[in-house]
Amino acid sequence: MLPALISLTGCIKDHDIGQMKTFKVEIENVSTPNLLPTMRAKGTVPLSPPAYAVYDCNDPMFMLGQRANLGTERIAEDGFPMEMVKYLSSIPRITASGAVTSPGGPDDGPALFAGEKATFTFTAKPGDKLQLETMFVQSNDWFISFKNGGLDLFAGNAAISGDMTSQLEIYDAGTEEDTAPGTGPNQKPVQDPMAINIGPPDAVNMITVARERHTQFNIPSTGSVIKVTVTPQ
Protein backbone atom coordinates (compact mmCIF):
# COMPACT_ATOMS: atom_id res chain seq x y z
CA MET A 1 0.00 0.00 0.00
CA LEU A 2 3.01 2.29 -0.09
CA PRO A 3 1.96 4.38 -3.13
CA ALA A 4 -1.33 5.34 -1.50
CA LEU A 5 0.42 6.26 1.73
CA ILE A 6 2.87 8.43 -0.17
CA SER A 7 0.03 10.22 -1.93
CA LEU A 8 -1.49 11.23 1.39
CA THR A 9 1.53 13.38 2.20
CA GLY A 10 -0.17 15.97 -0.02
CA CYS A 11 -3.10 16.22 2.41
CA ILE A 12 -1.85 19.24 4.30
CA LYS A 13 -4.30 22.01 3.43
CA ASP A 14 -7.47 22.52 5.43
CA HIS A 15 -10.36 23.90 3.41
CA ASP A 16 -12.95 26.20 4.88
CA ILE A 17 -16.06 24.09 5.48
CA GLY A 18 -18.16 26.71 3.72
CA GLN A 19 -21.43 25.43 2.35
CA MET A 20 -21.85 21.69 2.86
CA LYS A 21 -23.79 19.86 0.16
CA THR A 22 -25.39 16.44 -0.01
CA PHE A 23 -24.71 14.59 -3.25
CA LYS A 24 -26.43 11.60 -4.79
CA VAL A 25 -24.35 9.43 -7.11
CA GLU A 26 -25.95 6.95 -9.51
CA ILE A 27 -23.79 4.28 -11.16
CA GLU A 28 -25.40 2.42 -14.05
CA ASN A 29 -24.11 -0.51 -16.09
CA VAL A 30 -24.99 0.52 -19.64
CA SER A 31 -23.20 -2.32 -21.45
CA THR A 32 -25.27 -4.23 -23.99
CA PRO A 33 -25.16 -7.79 -25.39
CA ASN A 34 -22.38 -8.35 -27.94
CA LEU A 35 -20.46 -5.26 -26.85
CA LEU A 36 -17.54 -7.70 -26.56
CA PRO A 37 -17.03 -10.60 -29.01
CA THR A 38 -17.43 -13.30 -26.36
CA MET A 39 -20.11 -15.68 -25.13
CA ARG A 40 -19.28 -14.81 -21.50
CA ALA A 41 -22.08 -12.73 -19.95
CA LYS A 42 -23.50 -12.45 -23.50
CA GLY A 43 -20.76 -9.99 -24.35
CA THR A 44 -21.77 -7.46 -21.70
CA VAL A 45 -19.36 -6.11 -19.07
CA PRO A 46 -20.47 -6.78 -15.48
CA LEU A 47 -19.15 -4.34 -12.86
CA SER A 48 -18.10 -5.20 -9.32
CA PRO A 49 -19.60 -3.37 -6.30
CA PRO A 50 -17.93 0.07 -6.52
CA ALA A 51 -15.77 1.24 -3.62
CA TYR A 52 -15.69 5.01 -3.16
CA ALA A 53 -14.03 7.75 -1.12
CA VAL A 54 -14.62 11.47 -0.53
CA TYR A 55 -11.52 13.44 0.44
CA ASP A 56 -9.81 16.84 0.22
CA CYS A 57 -6.28 15.62 -0.52
CA ASN A 58 -4.50 13.47 -3.09
CA ASP A 59 -6.16 10.33 -4.38
CA PRO A 60 -6.01 7.72 -1.58
CA MET A 61 -7.00 4.80 -3.83
CA PHE A 62 -4.38 4.68 -6.57
CA MET A 63 -1.73 6.61 -8.50
CA LEU A 64 -1.15 6.23 -12.22
CA GLY A 65 2.33 4.82 -12.89
CA GLN A 66 2.66 3.35 -9.39
CA ARG A 67 2.10 -0.17 -8.05
CA ALA A 68 -1.46 -1.01 -7.06
CA ASN A 69 -2.16 -1.35 -3.35
CA LEU A 70 -3.84 -4.49 -2.06
CA GLY A 71 -7.29 -2.92 -2.09
CA THR A 72 -7.02 -1.99 -5.77
CA GLU A 73 -5.59 -5.42 -6.60
CA ARG A 74 -8.54 -7.22 -4.99
CA ILE A 75 -11.03 -5.03 -6.87
CA ALA A 76 -9.24 -5.16 -10.23
CA GLU A 77 -8.57 -8.93 -10.23
CA ASP A 78 -11.56 -10.35 -8.37
CA GLY A 79 -14.16 -7.63 -7.82
CA PHE A 80 -13.97 -7.71 -4.02
CA PRO A 81 -14.14 -4.22 -2.40
CA MET A 82 -13.73 -5.24 1.26
CA GLU A 83 -9.95 -4.73 1.48
CA MET A 84 -10.23 -1.25 -0.03
CA VAL A 85 -13.14 -0.30 2.23
CA LYS A 86 -11.15 -1.38 5.29
CA TYR A 87 -8.14 0.61 4.14
CA LEU A 88 -10.15 3.77 3.40
CA SER A 89 -11.79 3.69 6.83
CA SER A 90 -8.34 4.04 8.42
CA ILE A 91 -7.49 7.37 6.72
CA PRO A 92 -8.57 10.44 8.74
CA ARG A 93 -8.81 12.85 5.79
CA ILE A 94 -11.47 10.71 4.10
CA THR A 95 -14.88 12.04 5.14
CA ALA A 96 -17.02 9.35 3.47
CA SER A 97 -16.21 5.91 2.08
CA GLY A 98 -17.71 2.50 1.53
CA ALA A 99 -18.91 0.12 -1.16
CA VAL A 100 -22.24 0.23 -2.95
CA THR A 101 -23.98 -2.85 -4.31
CA SER A 102 -26.71 -3.56 -6.80
CA PRO A 103 -30.22 -3.42 -5.32
CA GLY A 104 -30.75 -6.97 -6.57
CA GLY A 105 -31.45 -7.48 -10.22
CA PRO A 106 -31.84 -10.80 -12.03
CA ASP A 107 -28.94 -12.44 -10.16
CA ASP A 108 -29.98 -11.04 -6.74
CA GLY A 109 -26.29 -10.39 -6.10
CA PRO A 110 -24.02 -7.43 -5.31
CA ALA A 111 -22.49 -6.95 -8.78
CA LEU A 112 -23.92 -4.55 -11.35
CA PHE A 113 -24.99 -6.43 -14.46
CA ALA A 114 -26.21 -4.84 -17.68
CA GLY A 115 -29.09 -2.46 -16.98
CA GLU A 116 -28.61 -2.39 -13.21
CA LYS A 117 -28.03 0.74 -11.13
CA ALA A 118 -26.64 1.47 -7.69
CA THR A 119 -26.81 4.74 -5.76
CA PHE A 120 -25.19 6.28 -2.71
CA THR A 121 -25.20 9.66 -0.97
CA PHE A 122 -22.71 11.69 1.05
CA THR A 123 -22.04 15.25 2.17
CA ALA A 124 -19.08 17.26 0.91
CA LYS A 125 -17.62 20.76 1.07
CA PRO A 126 -15.78 22.93 -1.47
CA GLY A 127 -12.37 21.38 -2.11
CA ASP A 128 -13.60 17.79 -1.80
CA LYS A 129 -13.15 15.14 -4.48
CA LEU A 130 -14.81 11.80 -5.22
CA GLN A 131 -13.00 8.67 -6.35
CA LEU A 132 -14.37 5.20 -7.05
CA GLU A 133 -13.09 1.83 -8.23
CA THR A 134 -15.16 -0.88 -9.90
CA MET A 135 -13.85 -3.93 -11.73
CA PHE A 136 -14.21 -4.22 -15.50
CA VAL A 137 -15.14 -7.86 -14.95
CA GLN A 138 -14.39 -9.09 -18.48
CA SER A 139 -10.66 -8.66 -17.81
CA ASN A 140 -7.80 -10.01 -15.75
CA ASP A 141 -7.15 -6.91 -13.64
CA TRP A 142 -8.83 -3.80 -15.06
CA PHE A 143 -10.86 -1.26 -13.12
CA ILE A 144 -12.79 1.93 -13.83
CA SER A 145 -12.07 5.13 -11.87
CA PHE A 146 -12.11 8.88 -12.26
CA LYS A 147 -9.12 10.45 -14.00
CA ASN A 148 -6.73 13.06 -12.63
CA GLY A 149 -6.76 12.07 -8.98
CA GLY A 150 -10.54 12.10 -8.59
CA LEU A 151 -13.61 14.14 -9.51
CA ASP A 152 -13.80 17.70 -8.17
CA LEU A 153 -17.23 18.01 -6.53
CA PHE A 154 -17.27 21.81 -6.67
CA ALA A 155 -16.30 24.46 -9.19
CA GLY A 156 -15.36 27.18 -6.76
CA ASN A 157 -18.26 27.12 -4.29
CA ALA A 158 -20.78 25.75 -6.81
CA ALA A 159 -21.62 22.04 -6.60
CA ILE A 160 -21.20 20.09 -9.83
CA SER A 161 -24.18 18.32 -11.37
CA GLY A 162 -24.88 15.95 -14.23
CA ASP A 163 -23.36 13.12 -16.23
CA MET A 164 -19.70 12.67 -15.20
CA THR A 165 -18.96 9.62 -17.35
CA SER A 166 -16.45 11.51 -19.50
CA GLN A 167 -14.26 11.89 -16.42
CA LEU A 168 -13.86 8.09 -16.07
CA GLU A 169 -11.12 5.86 -17.46
CA ILE A 170 -10.44 2.11 -17.72
CA TYR A 171 -7.17 1.27 -15.96
CA ASP A 172 -4.96 -1.81 -15.93
CA ALA A 173 -3.83 -2.50 -12.34
CA GLY A 174 -0.64 -4.22 -13.53
CA THR A 175 -1.03 -7.13 -11.13
CA GLU A 176 -2.00 -9.97 -13.52
CA GLU A 177 -1.00 -10.88 -17.05
CA ASP A 178 -3.64 -9.70 -19.53
CA THR A 179 -5.65 -11.35 -22.25
CA ALA A 180 -8.17 -9.58 -24.48
CA PRO A 181 -11.50 -8.68 -22.81
CA GLY A 182 -13.71 -11.74 -22.49
CA THR A 183 -10.97 -14.28 -23.26
CA GLY A 184 -8.46 -16.55 -21.52
CA PRO A 185 -8.68 -18.98 -18.59
CA ASN A 186 -7.95 -16.50 -15.76
CA GLN A 187 -10.66 -13.86 -16.06
CA LYS A 188 -13.32 -13.69 -13.36
CA PRO A 189 -16.31 -14.98 -15.37
CA VAL A 190 -14.63 -18.42 -15.69
CA GLN A 191 -13.27 -18.62 -12.13
CA ASP A 192 -14.88 -19.80 -8.93
CA PRO A 193 -16.83 -16.74 -7.71
CA MET A 194 -14.89 -16.69 -4.42
CA ALA A 195 -11.44 -17.25 -5.97
CA ILE A 196 -8.69 -14.73 -5.21
CA ASN A 197 -5.45 -13.95 -7.01
CA ILE A 198 -5.64 -16.54 -9.81
CA GLY A 199 -3.38 -16.05 -12.81
CA PRO A 200 0.27 -15.25 -13.58
CA PRO A 201 1.71 -11.88 -12.53
CA ASP A 202 2.04 -8.97 -14.95
CA ALA A 203 5.56 -8.11 -16.11
CA VAL A 204 4.61 -4.42 -16.02
CA ASN A 205 3.81 -4.04 -12.34
CA MET A 206 2.23 -0.58 -12.31
CA ILE A 207 -1.11 1.06 -13.02
CA THR A 208 -1.58 2.18 -16.63
CA VAL A 209 -4.41 3.35 -18.88
CA ALA A 210 -5.67 0.10 -20.41
CA ARG A 211 -6.33 1.39 -23.92
CA GLU A 212 -2.94 3.13 -24.10
CA ARG A 213 -1.03 0.02 -23.05
CA HIS A 214 -3.07 -2.61 -24.91
CA THR A 215 -3.45 -1.13 -28.38
CA GLN A 216 -3.75 -4.66 -29.78
CA PHE A 217 -7.03 -5.25 -27.90
CA ASN A 218 -10.47 -4.04 -28.94
CA ILE A 219 -11.45 -2.17 -25.78
CA PRO A 220 -14.93 -0.59 -25.70
CA SER A 221 -15.34 3.05 -24.80
CA THR A 222 -15.84 3.75 -21.11
CA GLY A 223 -19.22 5.34 -21.86
CA SER A 224 -20.46 2.12 -23.48
CA VAL A 225 -19.89 0.26 -20.20
CA ILE A 226 -20.77 2.62 -17.35
CA LYS A 227 -22.63 5.86 -16.68
CA VAL A 228 -22.11 7.95 -13.54
CA THR A 229 -24.45 10.79 -12.66
CA VAL A 230 -23.84 13.21 -9.78
CA THR A 231 -26.75 15.23 -8.42
CA PRO A 232 -26.57 17.76 -5.56
CA GLN A 233 -29.60 17.49 -3.27
Side-chain angles (χ1 to χ4, degrees):
M1 297 185 183
L2 183 58
L5 293 175
I6 290 174
S7 74
L8 289 173
T9 61
C11 304
I12 59 176
K13 181 179 179 182
D14 287 313
H15 294 279
D16 185 0
I17 290 178
Q19 184 180 4
M20 298 290 291
K21 272 285 187 182
T22 298
F23 291 85
K24 176 183 176 182
V25 177
E26 179 182 85
I27 301 172
E28 181 180 4
N29 185 328
V30 296
S31 66
T32 54
N34 304 314
L35 178 64
L36 298 176
T38 178
M39 296 297 291
R40 300 173 185 176
K42 299 180 180 179
T44 64
V45 181
L47 301 171
S48 70
Y52 70 92
V54 178
Y55 51 94
D56 64 353
C57 50
N58 292 340
D59 191 339
M61 300 179 82
F62 76 97
M63 292 179 66
L64 189 64
Q66 299 293 318
R67 293 181 64 173
N69 62 34
L70 183 59
T72 295
E73 180 177 357
R74 288 288 178 264
I75 290 171
E77 287 192 16
D78 301 306
F80 296 141
M82 299 82 76
E83 191 71 36
M84 179 61 79
V85 170
K86 179 182 176 181
Y87 170 58
L88 294 173
S89 68
S90 71
I91 301 175
R93 295 301 294 260
I94 293 177
T95 56
S97 63
V100 56
T101 62
S102 163
D107 69 320
D108 196 29
L112 275 69
F113 285 84
E116 293 187 321
K117 301 178 182 180
T119 62
F120 61 99
T121 61
F122 57 85
T123 58
K125 63 185 184 302
D128 281 346
K129 295 183 177 184
L130 170 68
Q131 186 57 287
L132 59 84
E133 288 185 358
T134 179
M135 184 186 183
F136 183 105
V137 171
Q138 296 266 33
S139 73
N140 297 87
D141 65 337
W142 296 0
F143 65 98
I144 299 174
S145 288
F146 286 114
K147 310 172 190 176
N148 303 319
L151 177 71
D152 289 310
L153 291 166
F154 291 81
N157 288 320
I160 64 166
S161 179
D163 185 348
M164 300 298 159
T165 307
S166 65
Q167 303 304 308
L168 295 165
E169 185 60 86
I170 302 171
Y171 293 98
D172 180 348
T175 59
E176 185 177 309
E177 187 177 280
D178 296 287
T179 52
T183 68
N186 296 315
Q187 294 186 1
K188 197 63 182 179
V190 292
Q191 293 178 359
D192 183 291
M194 301 309 295
I196 292 177
N197 198 28
I198 304 296
D202 196 328
V204 180
N205 191 2
M206 64 179 180
I207 296 171
T208 57
V209 176
R211 69 186 69 256
E212 292 179 0
R213 180 181 171 194
H214 300 290
T215 56
Q216 77 277 25
F217 294 162
N218 182 16
I219 302 174
S221 67
T222 312
S224 67
V225 175
I226 187 173
K227 180 179 180 180
V228 175
T229 306
V230 178
T231 308
Q233 303 297 287

